[in-house]
């Protein structure tokens, strides 16, 4: 079974600075997808960015980018120019070929943004 | 286009009571999912459906039942609620048409359930 590990329970960043969140996963599959979701206090799960494992190029979405290291099974999220609205829980998730294509989530990292 | 909606948003039950959570999506998605999120943890899959009339068990299915009688609706039932089922429940849906975003799950706003 796949597992997803986020080793940082909480990260703090100054407004306008950069923060990097770590995520590692365990899988024997070669074709899969990885995601970062943001969960603000409203509880809504918001997709931040996704990465297809077969693509070597790291995904980027505006101020959000990933560092995908397939051999190391590492998938970190970098938030640049942090804004107060970035404060939230961030979850890393894995989607393989298991029946139903379910998502397996890590335990989450809380990001605090200091003004 | 409302996306994924969940009813109710909050509910308090007593041990042994039953209830049904409703998830509705208007995106014509084939796949639908029910997850639960416990404090300080990520989401865990309860049940899922790959199409109308089909359901399957996820990681933590015990104590729950589901039905998918209509493509747009996915119901989660608790027949006899227990305090261990106190959690936030999320529904999600995913397309399977081969489009650019078919590998993305879209989530509802969640239902906070407390079992006393």
């Amino acid at each position: 079974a796949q597992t997803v590990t986020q080793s940082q329970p909480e990260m703090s960043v100054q407004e306008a600075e950069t923060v990097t969140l770590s995520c590692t996963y365990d899988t024997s599959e070669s074709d899969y997808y990885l995601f970062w979701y943001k969960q603000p206090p409203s509880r809504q799960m918001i997709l931040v960015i996704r990465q297809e494992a077969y693509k070597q190029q790291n995904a980027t979405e505006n101020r959000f980018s990933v560092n995908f290291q397939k051999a190391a099974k590492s998938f970190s999220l970098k938030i640049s120019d942090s804004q107060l609205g970035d404060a939230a829980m961030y979850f890393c998730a894995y989607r393989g070929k298991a029946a139903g294509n379910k998502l397996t989530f890590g335990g989450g990292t809380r990001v605090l943004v200091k003004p | 286009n409302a996306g994924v909606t969940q009813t109710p948003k909050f509910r308090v039950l007593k041990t042994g009571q039953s209830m049904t959570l409703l998830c509705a999506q208007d995106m014509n998605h084939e796949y639908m999912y029910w997850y639960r999120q416990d404090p300080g943890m990520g989401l865990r899959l309860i049940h899922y459906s790959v199409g109308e009339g089909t359901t399957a068990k996820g990681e933590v299915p015990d104590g729950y039942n589901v039905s998918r009688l209509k493509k747009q609706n996915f119901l989660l039932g608790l027949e006899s609620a227990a305090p261990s089922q106190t959690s936030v429940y999320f529904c999600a849906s995913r397309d399977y048409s081969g489009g650019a975003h078919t590998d993305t799950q879209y989530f509802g706003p969640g239902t906070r359930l407390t079992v006393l």
Side-chain angles (χ1 to χ4, degrees), chain A residues 46-95:
Chain A
I46 302 166
L47 177 66
V48 174
I49 198 166
R50 68 174 193 167
Q51 174 80 42
E52 293 90 338
Y54 65 87
K55 290 186 177 179
Q56 292 187 339
Q57 186 173 7
N58 289 323
T60 61
E61 287 287 342
N62 300 314
R63 297 182 295 106
F64 298 89
S65 62
V66 299
N67 183 2
F68 173 49
Q69 301 291 326
K70 191 172 185 179
K73 296 178 183 175
S74 171
F75 182 60
S76 61
L77 174 71
K78 184 169 77 172
I79 307 174
S80 303
D81 186 23
S82 297
Q83 301 175 359
L84 295 178
D86 295 333
M89 285 290 291
Y90 287 80
F91 291 96
C92 177
Y94 171 100
R95 199 228 85 188

Side-chain angles (χ1 to χ4, degrees), chain A residues 24-35:
Chain A
T24 58
Y25 56 95
D26 184 27
T27 184
S28 58
E29 296 176 314
S30 59
D31 188 16
Y32 50 86
Y33 291 77
L34 295 163
F35 303 84

Side-chain angles (χ1 to χ4, degrees), chain A residues 33 35 37 39 42-47 50 52 89 91 95 98-108, chain B residues 9-10 31 33 35 37 40-43 45 48 59 88 90 94 100-101 103-105 107-110 112:
Chain A
Y33 291 77
F35 303 84
Y37 279 88
Q39 187 179 43
S42 67
R43 290 203 315 257
Q44 181 73 49
M45 294 290 286
I46 302 166
L47 177 66
R50 68 174 193 167
E52 293 90 338
M89 285 290 291
F91 291 96
R95 199 228 85 188
N101 299 125
K102 72 182 185 71
L103 289 174
T104 300
F105 287 85
Chain B
K9 290 184 170 54
F10 303 92
Y31 285 43
Y33 307 82
Y35 294 88
Q37 183 181 28
M41 296 178 66
L43 282 67
L45 183 66
Y48 65 95
E59 299 173 60
V88 179
F90 287 94
R94 170 179 167 256
H101 296 285
D103 292 293
T104 300
Q105 290 189 18
F107 286 83
R112 181 177 294 279

